[in-house]
Amino acid sequence: MPSELPARNLVVIPTYDEIDNLEHVVARTLAVHPSLDVLVVDDNSPDGTGRLADVLAQRSGRVHVLHRAGKQGLGAAYLAGFGWALDRDYDTVAELDADGSHQPEQLTRLFAALPGADLVLGSRWVRGGGVENWPKRREVLSRGGNWYTRRALRLPLRDATGGFRVFRSDALRALDLGDVSSHGYCFQVDLARRAVRSGMAVVEVPIDFREREHGVSKMSGSIVREALWRVTVWGVQDRMRPAAPPGRHRLPERQRR
């Protein structure tokens, strides 16, 4: 972890039926650095994940829980978490999946790239990144989706769909989150494109993505269709508007050599 980390940093972990993964992921996250707090945003998980989150919060003052009435989508969960963080004046807000696919220890890579950046993306598809235990069809879907996103939205990002990232809180405040309506995984694309269109500095760093070992993936055909449809609509809308100032995108030093 870089020596000059912002004072107050929050890692938002949305959950729905992640009781087999949550405790381990939270413990690993807290162990990364003492400045990291965790907010579990639970959508009333039927398996008791929310109750487990409450137990973890009782054990540690660095763990917090936001209970929501029901399953309303990944994007809505993150927006609720962002609002919670901004109301409490955290300096940075990170996204992390609860299923173990993101390695909390690699938060150090993201924070190391934060100086000079507004948003740091953990990328599977830059040199040094990758996936483990994925069937070929999932890799083809992810690579193809990111290729289409780059072309349709003219984004300079290799992995706009990933959900392992760190925002500066000032950047989140500057983005117009009030009209974000995407709820599935295209939420990640939406925020990345808003950051680029706003002229923010976006950095991609390599991460190792691992397929979950416990529980069931939330990926579905409807989520993929929503993402494709929204990216297509956004691409058409962008071409009908005046050109936006380009964002500042860079790769880590070893990617440019």
Side-chain angles (χ1 to χ4, degrees), residues 158-169:
R158 302 294 301 178
D159 195 353
T161 64
F164 193 20
R165 49 182 67 181
V166 177
F167 291 90
R168 289 192 181 275
S169 291

Side-chain angles (χ1 to χ4, degrees), residues 207-242:
I207 60 164
D208 304 310
F209 184 97
R210 299 176 183 173
E211 179 67 338
R212 65 160 67 231
E213 294 182 0
H214 305 287
V216 178
S217 173
K218 311 301 188 300
M219 181 64 70
S220 67
S222 62
I223 289 174
V224 174
R225 288 190 293 272
E226 181 205 7
L228 289 174
W229 168 249
R230 286 188 179 273
V231 166
T232 301
V233 170
W234 292 332
V236 172
Q237 291 173 342
D238 284 349
R239 283 163 172 76
M240 297 174 64
R241 294 170 180 162

Side-chain angles (χ1 to χ4, degrees), residues 11-239:
V11 181
V12 179
I13 305 179
T15 57
Y16 186 81
D17 284 354
E18 294 291 354
I19 196 167
D20 292 330
N21 298 305
L22 181 64
E23 185 170 6
H24 186 49
V25 168
V26 169
R28 290 170 63 191
T29 302
L30 295 178
V32 170
H33 196 272
S35 72
L36 296 183
D37 289 353
V38 168
L39 174 66
V40 179
V41 183
D42 185 68
D43 277 6
N44 196 24
S45 298
D47 71 349
T49 301
R51 293 190 295 274
L52 174 59
D54 287 334
V55 171
L56 300 179
Q58 291 171 2
R59 294 177 185 170
S60 172
R62 294 167 58 198
V63 179
H64 311 276
V65 187
L66 179 59
H67 293 281
R68 304 203 310 147
K71 190 175 183 182
Q72 302 170 42
L74 183 70
Y78 270 125
L79 288 175
F82 293 165
W84 192 96
L86 296 179
D87 286 345
R88 289 158 180 80
D89 294 324
Y90 280 91
D91 297 305
T92 71
V93 186
E95 299 181 12
L96 180 72
D97 284 354
D99 60 11
S101 57
H102 299 148
Q103 310 308 301
E105 296 78 14
Q106 293 185 358
L107 281 165
T108 59
R109 300 183 184 181
L110 275 63
F111 277 102
L114 194 60
D118 299 297
L119 167 61
V120 180
L121 304 178
S123 178
R124 298 159 290 186
W125 308 127
V126 296
R127 188 182 309 157
V131 298
E132 296 181 21
N133 301 322
W134 253 17
K136 192 64 179 179
R137 58 182 176 79
R138 284 287 302 277
E139 180 175 344
V140 169
L141 179 63
S142 180
R143 286 184 180 274
N146 275 288
W147 177 87
Y148 182 71
T149 297
R150 284 196 304 276
R151 292 302 185 96
L153 301 181
R154 293 175 289 185
L155 291 179
L157 305 175
R158 302 294 301 178
D159 195 353
T161 64
F164 193 20
R165 49 182 67 181
V166 177
F167 291 90
R168 289 192 181 275
S169 291
D170 288 345
L172 280 177
R173 290 188 179 95
L175 295 175
D176 186 9
L177 300 180
D179 69 344
V180 174
S181 59
S182 48
H183 298 299
Y185 286 83
C186 62
F187 170 80
Q188 308 294 5
V189 177
D190 195 357
L191 263 63
R193 78 182 182 98
R194 288 169 185 259
V196 171
R197 296 289 184 268
S198 297
M200 295 181 179
V202 181
V203 180
E204 289 187 273
V205 299
I207 60 164
D208 304 310
F209 184 97
R210 299 176 183 173
E211 179 67 338
R212 65 160 67 231
E213 294 182 0
H214 305 287
V216 178
S217 173
K218 311 301 188 300
M219 181 64 70
S220 67
S222 62
I223 289 174
V224 174
R225 288 190 293 272
E226 181 205 7
L228 289 174
W229 168 249
R230 286 188 179 273
V231 166
T232 301
V233 170
W234 292 332
V236 172
Q237 291 173 342
D238 284 349
R239 283 163 172 76

